[in-house]
Every structure is written in C-alpha cells, then in structure tokens.
C-alpha cells in the first residue's frame, strides 16, 4: 500500500502536499480485523468512504455519493457527506464491525470530512 511520490513529479503543489500528509498518516494508521480503517476519499464533487481490513487487503463496507440513491438526494455536499457516513456505518454494523480507525487520507478534518465522521459516529461506529 505504498504511495509513490516520484511518479507524481508533474502534479500540483497542493496535491503533492496532500500526498505527503497521506503517507505520514499511513505510517501510523493500520486497519486490523478488530478495528478496520475507515478511509475517506474526497473529490471536488463526490465523497467516498470505505472500511478496509489492511491485514487481508479487503474492503468490508463502502458508501459513496456516486450511488444512485444518494445522487438523487437534494442538499449541499456537506449534507450528502453526512448521509454517506451514516450509510457506511450502517453497512459496517451489518458486517459485524463496531469500531474503526479514521483515516482522513491527508485531507483536513473540516467540512465534508468532519461531516462524514459525524455521520458515521451517529450511525454507531466507534472511533
């Protein structure tokens, strides 16, 4: 699960900075079978959350604003992120997962990322 910075020599400075923050965070954050990693992937329009067991390398639950039922929701991107957090928590609970390790993937913990985390906590996941 290594992220190569040398292959990204033509990327913008802010993207390179986020990748460096992501690498620093992944040194410390590992997902196990007992506490898998909740990964947040954010783009300009959408947000995705996955619950990943790093020991096996398997995604246990996921949710995204790209899904058809969430695309139809009205509201701003922050409200949609909160719904994604609640949905991924519901799917993780169905898979038998109660606690996760939150991985913001180099993104700042504000706005949509914080809303997704709050939604996951409301859904019953323990961080």
């Amino acid at each position: 699960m290594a992220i190569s910075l040398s292959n990204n020599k033509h990327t913008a400075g802010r993207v390179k900075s986020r990748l460096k923050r992501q690498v620093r965070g992944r040194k410390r954050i590992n997902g196990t079978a007992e506490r898998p990693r909740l990964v947040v992937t954010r783009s300009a329009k959408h947000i995705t959350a996955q619950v990943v067991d790093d020991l096996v390398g398997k995604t246990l639950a996921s949710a995204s604003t790209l899904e058809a039922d969430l695309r139809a929701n009205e509201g701003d991107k922050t409200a949609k992120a909160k719904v994604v957090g609640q949905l991924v928590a519901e799917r993780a609970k169905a898979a038998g997962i109660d606690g996760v390790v939150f991985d913001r993937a180099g993104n700042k913990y504000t706005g949509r990322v914080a809303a997704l985390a709050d939604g996951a906590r409301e859904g019953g996941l323990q961080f």
Side-chain angles (χ1 to χ4, degrees):
M1 184 177 66
I3 299 170
S4 174
L5 295 176
S6 63
N7 292 338
N8 299 320
K9 63 183 179 180
H10 296 293
T11 57
R14 62 186 168 78
V15 175
K16 220 178 247 194
S17 297
R18 187 185 59 79
L19 288 173
K20 286 180 185 177
R21 288 192 305 269
Q22 187 174 6
V23 168
R24 280 197 311 263
R26 294 273 167 84
K27 288 181 197 175
R28 298 185 303 262
I29 299 172
N30 283 331
T32 61
E34 297 82 29
R35 286 180 60 95
R37 187 167 50 102
L38 175 63
V39 187
V40 176
T41 307
R42 185 178 64 91
S43 72
K45 286 187 175 184
H46 298 286
I47 193 160
T48 304
Q50 292 181 324
V51 178
V52 179
D53 182 2
D54 288 326
L55 298 178
V56 182
K58 184 178 174 187
T59 300
L60 306 172
S62 68
S64 173
T65 55
L66 291 167
E67 296 175 10
D69 55 342
L70 291 179
R71 277 186 172 229
N73 283 356
E74 292 296 323
D76 60 347
K77 293 185 278 189
T78 306
K80 289 182 180 181
K82 191 167 189 171
V83 172
V84 168
Q86 292 170 346
L87 187 59
V88 76
E90 176 185 314
R91 291 177 181 173
K93 295 288 258 184
I97 300 163
D98 293 328
V100 295
V101 179
F102 190 68
D103 182 7
R104 57 188 174 87
N107 297 308
K108 293 181 180 180
Y109 188 83
T110 178
R112 290 188 282 156
V113 176
L116 188 139
D118 291 339
R121 282 190 194 99
E122 287 176 10
L125 285 181
Q126 299 292 323
F127 286 29

